[in-house]
Amino acid sequence: MGSGNTSAERAVNSDSSARIGRSADGNGRVARKTFGMHQGSGFLSTRQRRLAWLGFLLAAVQAPVSARLVDDSSWLFSLCVALMVATVIIADDAARRRPADASSAE
């Protein structure tokens, strides 16, 4: 009981430091498993999402330009289209942020 650290205690300490991903000399190891949230996939593909953003930007820019150049209220249609596309993009973004194992009934 006089020496303090026995070889069995050192073995347990080195084993516990290996389990948390650090070596005894302070250099971190790359973790093999990560337990973060898995991202759910949205209902739009990457290409569809890019086209939706392009459509949103074009409709959003076209609305004030058409309001300036045309006397009637047809620019409201461009505004409605831009708002509908923005709603689809927001819904897809929410689906992507939901964890992969979450049910859609929530």
Side-chain angles (χ1 to χ4, degrees):
M1 278 203 190
S3 68
N5 283 344
T6 64
S7 62
E9 288 177 16
R10 276 186 250 132
V12 169
N13 288 339
S14 65
D15 183 50
S16 65
S17 66
R19 278 187 287 149
I20 61 172
R22 296 191 180 267
S23 62
D25 61 355
N27 294 332
R29 291 188 318 198
V30 177
R32 285 183 237 167
K33 293 182 181 178
T34 57
F35 297 103
M37 288 179 48
H38 297 285
Q39 296 293 316
S41 61
F43 51 86
L44 294 178
S45 68
T46 304
R47 185 170 188 256
Q48 289 172 332
R49 190 172 170 85
R50 286 183 186 151
L51 287 173
W53 272 106
L54 179 65
F56 168 73
L57 291 174
L58 288 175
V61 167
Q62 195 262 342
V65 170
S66 125
R68 187 64 103 151
L69 297 177
V70 180
D71 290 334
D72 61 358
S73 296
S74 63
W75 61 273
L76 285 172
F77 180 71
S78 298
L79 186 66
C80 289
V81 169
L83 289 174
M84 286 181 3
V85 173
T87 303
V88 169
I89 292 171
I90 290 170
D92 181 64
D93 190 44
R96 287 176 189 267
R97 291 179 190 268
R98 182 178 302 134
D101 58 352
S103 65
S104 60
E106 294 179 338

